[in-house]
Structure formats: structure tokens, C-alpha cells
Amino acid sequence: MSISKYFVVTHHSRSTRDNRSSIDGNDFPTMIPNTYYNCRFGNWSDVLVGRAARAQHTQQAMYMRSTLFRILVVGLAILVECGRDYYKILGVRRRASEKEIKSAYRKLSRKYHPDKNPNNKEAEKMFQDVANAYETLSDKEKRKIYDRHGEEGLKEHLKQKAQGGGGGMDPFDMFFGGGMFGGGRQRQEEQKRGPDLNLDVRVTLKDLYLGRIISVMHKKQTLCLNYEDCRTDDRSCIGPGMKMVTRQLGPGFVQQMQTNDPGCGGKGYRLKRRCKACPKGLTESAEKILTFEVEPGMSDGHVIVLENEGDEFIGQLPGHVNFKVKTMPHPSFTRIGNDLNMDMHISLPEALVEFSKKFSHLDGHKVKVSRKEVTKPFQVIRVRGEGMPFGDNPSRKGDLHVRIIVDFPKKLTKEQKDTVLKLFGNPTKSSSKKRSATDHDEL
């Protein structure tokens, strides 16, 4: 979709621009003439009329504030770019996890340790740089400030904190927050997030009962380690793959259109496709082991989110990897919420007299189910506390519901029949209609 902006200037004094280099504080009235400007944005019917300030002190204040603001922006930009690149020192990506940073630090600290490199000044300096880099990147607060403002910004933050100036305050808030210029502005460009990757992870009921650590190999696209060295400034870029083009439609008429440009990596910069810092390209395929925990009592369908582990794209934050828990069927148990259901078979004599049985639970411990009375077929016995763990409190468990299945004998001998009739009586005597054993088919 094309977005256009139209600006119409009805009057402009050329002498305003020509005199700007020679004016002093008393010449402000000659720089901005007493006139008005008509500015149209979007539709021609939308007209915004603004009058130029007439008071000398107002014009002077506006010019001084604008000039001071530009000086501060340039100074802060230089400040941010100064300092060491801690990520390059450790040899990790800017989006490296805490585990990756720690692993790189251990490896490099052993390599450049003074005991292994006696009388080696370069190794000693590198050892100190590695330690400083790890100290910053292993601390979430310091890393956040370093990512936004560089090493010098971090030093300023620590200096303010040491002087009791409120360590939690961003040292750049006085410029961009709302303290110095009012309204303020957003310091950091909001980046869009790339697409999430949704996967199913199949687990057993035992995994959900005991908990389990799962590791999987994940293949994804990652940005080149030194891709930022391939950046070049370009103010026409307004975002990844987009730039703003300005066209002169006529005297006093300017049109701005948003167009596609694959070279734009983000707001204010583009990326070189052929760059010595990234000989294999700006993105490359990499494999990484993802580790996550299936907690005891986790429900079927629960989504485990691994943040920022998706594919990496230029100008975008990586998406998340979402693992959806899928429970495989169990041969003995079925789960309903935090309760477990199972069937238990008993014989006819056990159903008539009493029974006592044991079985192994999901973790191997024995559970006893007994009854000393007549048990009806499909009767359900509840065993408290032998269900699934509660997700928010694994020490608490649901109940186990045992459905009794009575196994009847397929046939009885004549002696067994006589014994049953002797114990329970002959039910056919009270029946007006008697049937022989051959009156129906056996199923």
C-alpha cells in the first residue's frame, strides 16, 4: 500500500535561508518572516494552518532549543558508538543466551589465563577484556544498558549509581525522556517479532507424573556474527525492506511514498549483501540444542514457550519456539484433570467375599486396593492422594478411581451349581415359567 504526504507552502522568504549564517541573537525577526504556511497532509481537503511565532524571545528560544537538541543527538550518537564490543570479545551473538555467554567466558578465560601465558601482555589484556565483557553481559540490568547505550553509557550509569543518583534511572532519560524537552520520544525503535514456530512434543503419562528434562536439536536461520559491520546509514530506510521516496510534484508540492527496498535492514540503515564481515551471507543455517522442562502435573495441551529461539531475520526480533504437550495413551491409566482412572479385575468369589490387590503406580511404588464386603460389578473405589500432581503444587495429588471388573466363570460344573443353589437357593422355583438350558443359544 502506498502512503503519500503532500506539503504545500504558499510563501517562503529566500532571504531567510541566505541570512541564516550571518545572524546573531538580535536578528531573529529577519530569519522567520511574519507570514503563515498552509500544510496539507494526505487528502487535499485536510488543511492545517499554523502561524509563525511573532515574539522575538519565542523564536529565539525555538532556534536555540532546536540547535541544542541537534548537538546533543550527535554527541550521544558518538557516545553510543564508542567503547568495546563485548559480544565480539566473547565471540557470541548479540542475542546469545546466558548459557552461551557463560560457556564462551569459561573457554576464553582458560585460554588467556596469566598462568598459561606468563609475561604475555596481549594475553593479559585479553583476559581482562573477557572478564569485563562477562561481568557486563551476565548481568541483566547492565546488559540492557550496554545494548542500548554502549560501554560509555554503561560507565555513566554506574557512575550515577555510585554517587547515589538513582542507579535504576536511564542516564539518557534527561535528553529523551520528558525532563529536558518535555514530551520526550521513544528511545528505541520498536522491532517487529518474527513468526513463532509451533511444535508438538509427545510425552508419557509417567513424564507428566514425575517431570522430565527434554533436549531437542533445533535447526534454524541465524544472523551472521558480525552482520552489524555490514550496516551503512540510510535515512530513507524506514524499516526492514521498506524505504520512503520523496518526489517533487511541482513548485511547492512534495510527495512522499513508501516503497519496497530489500536492501533496507531497519530504520535508518541498510545492509550490504556482499560484505567481507559475513562471507557466507548475512544469514546462515545453524543447529542448537534446545532444553526445556516438563514439570510434574503439567496438563495435556500445555504450551512451553522458549523465547527468542525462532529464526533470526534482519531488522526483526526472533520469534518464539512453542512446544505443545501431547500425552501418549497409557495401557493402564487414563487422566481426567488431576485424577487418574483405571480398571481392576477380580474373580467372582472375591467379589462375593473380599479381595485385596496391589499394583505398581507410575513411579513404581505399590498401591493397595482392598474391600471386605460384596463388590458389585463396575463399582468404583476411590483411593485418595494417588492421582496426578497439581501443577502449581506438585506435593499435592489428585485421587485415583478404580473401577472393579468382576470376571464371571464361563461354565460351572454340576457340583458347583449344586453348591450355589444350596447357598443362595433355587431362583427358578419362584418363577411361573421355567425354561430349560436348551431354550436359548449361548452367546
Side-chain angles (χ1 to χ4, degrees), residues 135-136 139-143 145 152-172:
E135 180 184 1
T136 297
D139 186 290
K140 291 184 178 180
E141 181 183 2
K142 291 181 180 179
R143 183 179 181 181
I145 296 173
E152 297 302 323
L154 177 61
K155 288 180 180 179
E156 181 65 23
H157 167 79
L158 297 177
K159 181 180 178 180
Q160 288 187 6
K161 191 173 183 180
Q163 294 175 352
M169 183 184 70
D170 193 320
F172 286 54

Side-chain angles (χ1 to χ4, degrees), residues 193-395:
R193 184 172 298 280
D196 290 349
L197 178 62
N198 300 312
L199 302 171
D200 291 340
V201 54
R202 295 189 173 273
V203 298
T204 64
L205 196 59
K206 181 179 179 180
D207 295 334
L208 297 175
Y209 186 85
L210 296 174
R212 178 185 170 190
I213 302 296
I214 298 178
S215 296
V216 297
M217 181 64 71
H218 176 48
K219 189 174 183 180
K220 67 175 186 177
Q221 291 295 318
T222 61
L223 293 176
C224 168
L225 181 63
N226 301 316
Y227 87 96
E228 291 192 350
D229 294 341
C230 301
R231 291 175 51 159
T232 57
D233 294 335
D234 189 341
R235 293 184 178 181
S236 67
C237 292
I238 59 175
M242 301 296 296
K243 74 173 183 179
M244 189 68 72
V245 178
T246 302
R247 295 180 180 177
Q248 187 79 27
L249 299 181
F253 293 91
V254 177
Q255 180 187 30
Q256 287 187 324
M257 299 182 61
Q258 180 176 307
T259 61
N260 295 327
D261 187 342
C264 287
K267 186 176 181 180
Y269 71 92
R270 63 174 54 250
L271 292 168
K272 301 176 184 177
R273 296 299 168 179
R274 295 181 179 180
C275 179
K276 293 181 179 180
C278 298
K280 295 182 180 180
L282 296 177
T283 59
E284 53 190 32
S285 180
E287 291 184 344
K288 181 179 179 181
I289 297 177
L290 300 182
T291 302
F292 56 93
E293 180 180 7
V294 176
E295 299 178 354
M298 190 172 282
S299 60
D300 184 69
H302 181 90
V303 178
I304 302 172
V305 181
L306 301 185
E307 297 183 353
N308 304 323
E309 292 293 353
D311 290 333
E312 297 179 1
F313 298 95
I314 297 172
Q316 294 184 359
L317 295 173
H320 304 325
V321 177
N322 304 318
F323 289 98
K324 188 174 183 180
V325 174
K326 293 288 187 180
T327 310
M328 294 186 290
H330 192 275
S332 301
F333 300 101
T334 56
R335 180 183 183 182
I336 301 180
N338 294 314
D339 292 345
L340 288 175
N341 296 337
M342 67 169 292
D343 291 341
M344 176 175 285
H345 290 257
I346 64 174
S347 65
L348 180 59
E350 288 175 324
L352 295 174
V353 184
E354 64 176 338
F355 73 92
S356 178
K357 288 181 174 293
K358 291 183 178 181
F359 65 92
S360 296
H361 210 295
L362 291 168
D363 61 347
H365 80 275
K366 299 295 182 181
V367 179
K368 181 180 178 180
V369 179
S370 61
R371 183 175 172 84
K372 295 185 178 181
E373 300 177 1
V374 175
T375 304
K376 299 178 182 178
F378 308 112
Q379 184 172 344
V380 177
I381 301 173
R382 181 170 66 177
V383 184
R384 297 184 182 274
E386 290 293 351
M388 294 292 293
F390 281 67
D392 55 349
N393 184 11
S395 61

